[in-house]
Amino acid sequence: MLLKLGVLASGRGTNLQAIIDAIEAETLPAAIAVVISNHPGVPALGRAARHGAPTAIIERSAHPSHSAQHQAITDELVRCGVELVVLAGFDRVVGPEILRAFPYRIINIHPSLLPAFGGGLHAQADALGYGVKVAGCTVHFVTEDVDCGPIIAQACVPVLEDDTADTLAARILEQEHHILPMSIRLFAQGRLKVEGRRVRVLPPP
Ligand code: GRF
């Protein structure tokens, strides 16, 4: 049985591509039921189309409120039979409409070692500016507290002496492309058990 994914992506979509590549390599027992973007014409939509996945553009400007837009996104996810929502570079905080419909069925990839550098859109530059020696990325369940949901997986990378925000972000991104498909695989295999703040990874069946 393939897990039905709904992917929300706002931009270049390299994390979406990592999911697509894992599905096409048959290392991820999932299928993309829909890719939804809140911006038209972004590369993520092209990546979805090349994979043959259905796409939808649900823009803020086409709805009277943030809430109405997020209700429309929820309706589309439900209509497509989505079982797990993946935020893969979605540039907005998901509203309560989506959270209520998919409790502990929404995951996000964030480019820092949470809880450090959560909440912002420039986590890699913030990490570099702070002077940390190790940076990384986190996959977590999405709850109403932004970037604070239970952590599923993390990966770390060194910060090098000559790093810029761009070189550090590129090193982190490589790890994002590993831990996001890996986390979806664990979810698909029913191996993630949330116990309060902790997510226990159960052994393979
Ligand atoms: C990634 O760095 C991800 O961690 C953050 O947004 C970026 C999206 O990149 N949430 P891409 O669109 O997947 O290439």
Side-chain angles (χ1 to χ4, degrees):
M1 272 279 281
L2 299 177
L3 178 74
K4 289 188 184 168
L5 305 178
V7 182
L8 305 194
S10 302
R12 67 189 165 174
T14 64
N15 278 289
L16 167 64
Q17 190 65 52
I19 297 168
I20 290 171
D21 291 347
I23 289 173
E24 291 183 351
E26 295 182 10
T27 59
L28 181 58
I32 298 179
V34 65
V35 173
I36 301 176
S37 178
N38 52 343
H39 304 300
V42 293
L45 291 166
R47 295 178 191 274
R50 280 193 291 282
H51 175 61
T55 58
I57 299 162
I58 304 182
E59 291 178 86
R60 171 67 183 85
S61 60
H63 295 84
S65 63
H66 178 270
S67 171
Q69 179 202 15
H70 283 228
Q71 187 58 56
I73 292 173
T74 306
D75 293 345
E76 183 66 6
L77 292 167
V78 170
R79 191 183 71 76
C80 294
V82 165
E83 296 169 299
L84 178 69
V85 180
V86 181
L87 308 184
F90 190 59
D91 63 3
R92 287 291 174 270
V93 172
V94 294
E97 303 77 15
I98 305 178
L99 287 170
R100 270 196 302 267
F102 293 94
Y104 289 93
R105 287 185 164 264
I106 309 172
I107 65 173
N108 180 48
I109 175 83
H110 184 81
S112 77
L113 291 172
L114 291 173
F117 311 113
L121 283 178
H122 308 286
Q124 306 95 327
D126 292 346
L128 189 65
Y130 195 90
V132 298
K133 300 298 187 192
V134 176
C137 49
T138 302
V139 178
H140 62 94
F141 282 108
V142 176
T143 60
E144 58 197 3
D145 301 319
V146 176
D147 291 337
C148 291
I151 291 170
I152 298 168
Q154 294 186 300
C156 54
V157 301
V159 178
L160 304 182
E161 289 304 325
D162 58 353
D163 262 337
T164 63
D166 286 346
T167 59
L168 178 58
R171 193 174 310 116
I172 294 171
L173 190 63
E174 240 178 82
Q175 296 304 314
E176 295 182 33
H177 297 163
H178 289 298
I179 68 170
L180 184 57
M182 180 192 85
S183 299
I184 299 170
R185 186 179 311 116
L186 291 171
F187 185 97
Q189 293 170 337
R191 292 175 58 195
L192 299 179
K193 185 159 181 258
V194 181
E195 292 178 357
R197 277 219 51 82
R198 289 192 72 186
V199 180
R200 288 196 183 277
V201 179
L202 304 176

